[in-house]
Amino acid sequence: MLQVIIATLLFFVLMFGLGFILNMLLKTTWFPVYAYIVLIIVLVCMGWDSGTLFNNIASYTVIDYLPAAGGLIGAFTSGKTMKSLRAAGYKMF
């Protein structure tokens, strides 16, 4: 269980950092969230067997979904942070 907590925290920090940098460079607030969702969909679909969609999704457990959810929350949080920094008048962000 400790490994899942650490993995979730690491995915959160990783996606927050990448999202923050991409937001500064591209000046688009929600691009990291969309990019993360597309990345997860592509990676998950590549590992699927030739079965139904429900069977493939059901083969994952909560332990598999928690780090992915942590990464999505990190990407979303980076967008909210950028939005609040821009609203506060920071032009660099």
Side-chain angles (χ1 to χ4, degrees):
M1 189 64 180
L2 180 63
Q3 292 172 343
V4 174
I5 294 169
I6 292 172
T8 304
L9 183 63
L10 285 175
F11 271 86
F12 175 83
V13 170
L14 177 75
M15 287 310 298
F16 181 84
L18 287 174
F20 197 85
I21 291 169
L22 284 173
N23 278 323
M24 281 195 303
L25 295 175
L26 300 175
K27 303 279 188 194
T28 59
T29 305
W30 300 112
F31 176 73
V33 175
Y34 302 137
Y36 183 75
I37 290 172
V38 169
L39 176 73
I40 291 298
I41 289 172
V42 168
L43 289 177
V44 166
C45 289
M46 284 174 40
W48 281 358
D49 297 329
S50 59
T52 64
L53 177 67
F54 180 73
N55 288 338
N56 288 322
I57 291 174
S59 67
Y60 295 109
T61 62
V62 174
I63 302 299
D64 299 321
Y65 287 120
L66 284 177
L72 184 61
I73 292 169
F76 181 76
T77 306
S78 73
K80 292 298 270 186
T81 302
M82 280 295 167
K83 196 171 183 181
S84 66
L85 285 172
R86 288 180 187 140
Y90 291 97
K91 296 191 187 275
M92 179 182 172
F93 303 112

